[in-house]
Amino acid sequence: MVGIHHFRIMMNFNLISKLEEISLRYPERVLKIIGYVEKKGTKEYLEIIIFKGFSSSTTHPIEFDPDERVLKEKCCFLSCQLFIAPLNSNDDIFKESKELEFFLDEDQWV
């Protein structure tokens, strides 16, 4: 039986794939996902950037194979921030949400 925590993690990674697809249609937007990775009872800061259909992490190695999960570790996503590209040192957040699902609505990218 799959636990709720495992289901939530898998659901998050499915959402990342969907957000990557959406980001292809909005190349002038950058989505930053903030959370943490659980390792040996500790929480490590996690940051994932989605831009032009691709995910990258500024804090952890990620999987580049689109058929694999982006991260192998257990993680929790706490918030998402949408920026206008290109980024620079004094970028303001365009939109923000504590729910990843918020940015599945393409109207939020405009």
Side-chain angles (χ1 to χ4, degrees):
M1 184 166 142
V2 177
I4 289 284
H5 184 68
H6 181 73
F7 177 74
R8 178 79 175 142
I9 290 169
M10 293 305 295
M11 188 174 80
N12 283 339
F13 290 111
N14 291 335
L15 286 174
I16 288 176
S17 295
K18 290 177 183 175
L19 291 168
E20 287 172 336
E21 289 175 26
I22 293 169
S23 74
L24 280 170
R25 293 186 286 282
Y26 300 92
E28 71 288 349
R29 300 288 185 258
V30 177
L31 184 66
K32 182 190 296 185
I33 301 170
I34 298 169
Y36 61 86
V37 171
E38 296 178 21
K39 284 189 176 180
K40 299 178 184 175
T42 63
K43 295 177 181 178
E44 294 179 2
Y45 177 77
L46 170 67
E47 184 176 273
I48 295 174
I49 304 294
I50 299 177
F51 180 59
K52 293 185 178 182
F54 294 96
S55 293
S56 184
S57 176
T58 60
T59 59
H60 290 79
I62 64 170
E63 180 62 52
F64 292 104
D65 182 346
D67 295 327
E68 295 291 326
R69 289 183 4 195
V70 172
L71 286 165
K72 301 290 184 197
E73 296 95 354
K74 290 181 182 179
C75 63
C76 180
F77 302 128
L78 303 173
S79 68
C80 307
Q81 302 167 335
L82 190 66
F83 296 87
I84 297 173
L87 295 178
N88 60 50
S89 60
N90 40 329
D91 279 321
D92 291 325
I93 297 169
F94 180 63
K95 292 187 180 176
E96 185 170 22
S97 176
K98 299 228 181 260
E99 298 295 326
L100 235 50
E101 295 88 352
F102 178 78
F103 290 106
L104 290 175
D105 176 1
E106 290 193 43
D107 290 339
Q108 302 307 325
W109 291 71
V110 181

